Amino acid sequence: MTEPVPEGTAGDRFGPNTNLTVVHEVFLDVANNLAGEYAHRFHNAATAEEKSSAKEAILSVRRNQRAVDPTDRETMIAEILRMEQLIERLAQD
């Protein structure tokens, strides 16, 4: 059983009748946005270590994206929330 998603988050956007394809498309879009944030960091890295870290983060996002079952609504919604929070934290750095 998954934990309830806090109010005002990705979970509020998807009702039980929201088409699974819509949830999957949003999941893919948010994953692409997160990978894009890391790509920006990769291209603007001041050191080889920063560049390597950003590259690994991009690869991690892509591995995670492939690992999520596109028919698992709850996991996709939880991942959308997690990635959106990460994007927000990265924007604050």
Side-chain angles (χ1 to χ4, degrees):
M1 177 185 244
T2 50
E3 293 182 31
V5 178
E7 255 184 73
T9 63
D12 290 343
R13 287 183 262 159
F14 306 109
N17 296 324
T18 302
N19 189 298
L20 185 61
T21 302
V22 172
V23 176
H24 186 247
E25 287 297 318
V26 172
F27 168 72
L28 294 176
D29 188 50
V30 174
N32 285 336
N33 289 340
L34 180 56
E37 288 292 327
Y38 286 124
H40 176 75
R41 288 171 180 259
F42 177 85
H43 292 294
N44 293 302
T47 67
E49 183 177 296
E50 288 175 354
K51 195 168 258 217
S52 177
S53 176
K55 181 178 179 181
E56 183 51 42
I58 294 167
L59 295 174
S60 176
V61 170
R62 295 303 179 210
R63 279 191 300 270
N64 183 62
Q65 184 180 351
R66 287 189 301 272
V68 173
D69 179 354
T71 65
D72 186 344
R73 173 187 297 273
E74 289 78 23
T75 298
M76 285 191 292
I77 292 171
E79 283 300 303
I80 290 167
L81 174 61
R82 184 188 69 77
M83 290 185 295
E84 286 178 336
Q85 290 173 340
L86 187 51
I87 290 168
E88 189 174 308
R89 280 197 312 261
L90 290 171
Q92 294 173 0
D93 286 349

